[in-house]
Amino acid sequence: MREKKPDKRKVQGAETRKKLYEIAKKLFSERNFSDVNVEDITDEAGITKGAFYVHFESKDALIAILIADYVASADTNYKTFVEALPNEMPASEVILALTQKIADELVDTIGCENMKKIYQMLLTGTVDTEAVKGYGRELYLLFYSILDKGIRRGEITSSLPPEALSRHFVMAIRGVSYEWCVRSPDFDLKVQAVEHCNLLIEGIEA
């Protein structure tokens, strides 16, 4: 039986899409989302704007894909970070350490201007942002595992199940991050995120 040859056009299309993705990723690492336009991406890729829209519905759609990949990578890093902490560390201290880690990532890697763009995309709903807001996100599962462990150890007591508690902690971080976007630069996200989560912890510590 003759081996079926790959479709040349499909292969070229996949290569072009990957090239656009990698160039956009590079440009967005150097500048804010709002400072990079489609022409910047296509000029560096050496293709037309029309070709860009064959592969991506819009710049925001491409940003959404990049964010989804980033979120998956970041959540894996958060999990690795938590797993490296001493097993005997109290759940409250693990939560605060994780909160600090998340705040560091938001400030030092994403930045305030890019967070504003992400919130804009979340609010308008023009592109798929489920990777950021979905309850199936690994970050919720990570908080769940920490809280569940704390409950089983008798360190945490609450009428709410760990699943609900984990959502409250993620909502708290998201809310503080939004406040950071509104009040920057007169708002220290790292300090406020830890302080806010500490308030929640005080309410559930045994």
Side-chain angles (χ1 to χ4, degrees):
M1 185 175 177
R2 294 178 63 182
E3 188 175 330
K4 188 177 179 181
K5 293 183 178 180
D7 188 314
K8 189 175 180 181
R9 289 181 63 186
K10 286 184 178 180
V11 171
Q12 289 177 336
E15 289 175 350
T16 299
R17 181 182 173 88
K18 183 180 179 182
K19 185 177 183 180
L20 289 167
Y21 174 96
E22 294 297 336
I23 288 172
K25 185 177 180 180
K26 169 180 165 291
L27 292 176
F28 289 137
S29 71
E30 297 168 351
R31 290 179 264 164
N32 292 325
F33 292 145
S34 58
D35 295 331
V36 178
N37 55 43
V38 172
E39 288 89 342
D40 294 326
I41 299 169
T42 55
D43 286 349
E44 186 152 337
I47 66 171
T48 64
K49 281 182 66 177
F52 175 92
Y53 290 110
V54 168
H55 299 285
F56 301 102
E57 183 181 341
S58 63
K59 187 183 86 167
D60 282 359
L62 174 52
I63 291 173
I65 294 169
L66 286 162
I67 290 171
D69 291 344
Y70 168 78
V71 164
S73 176
D75 284 2
T76 298
N77 290 338
Y78 296 147
K79 185 178 180 180
T80 301
F81 170 78
V82 169
E83 289 175 346
L85 296 174
N87 186 57
E88 66 275 11
M89 181 180 283
S92 59
E93 293 183 20
V94 175
I95 289 172
L96 291 177
L98 175 58
T99 300
Q100 177 69 53
K101 177 72 174 176
I102 294 169
D104 285 339
E105 188 73 16
L106 294 178
V107 173
D108 301 332
T109 302
I110 299 180
C112 187
E113 291 304 313
N114 284 342
M115 279 304 301
K116 289 179 183 179
K117 178 63 178 177
I118 292 171
Y119 278 121
Q120 180 188 28
M121 292 166 62
L122 286 166
L123 291 168
T124 58
T126 53
V127 293
D128 183 10
T129 53
E130 189 63 24
V132 178
K133 67 181 182 181
Y135 287 131
R137 181 179 169 181
E138 187 68 34
L139 186 61
Y140 286 97
L141 302 177
L142 185 54
F143 271 101
Y144 174 94
S145 66
I146 298 167
L147 291 160
D148 182 59
K149 188 176 183 179
I151 291 170
R152 286 187 285 104
R153 284 178 167 181
E155 299 167 2
I156 292 172
T157 178
S158 174
S159 59
L160 295 175
E163 181 181 15
L165 287 175
S166 66
R167 292 186 181 186
H168 279 287
F169 275 95
V170 175
M171 281 192 288
I173 294 171
R174 184 170 289 153
V176 175
S177 300
Y178 182 82
E179 190 76 3
W180 172 50
C181 291
V182 172
R183 300 190 181 279
S184 179
D186 302 317
F187 187 90
D188 191 320
L189 175 63
K190 297 180 184 180
V191 171
Q192 295 296 331
V194 170
E195 183 177 305
H196 204 65
C197 282
N198 203 32
L199 287 172
L200 292 179
I201 289 169
E202 288 177 1
I204 60 174
E205 276 189 311

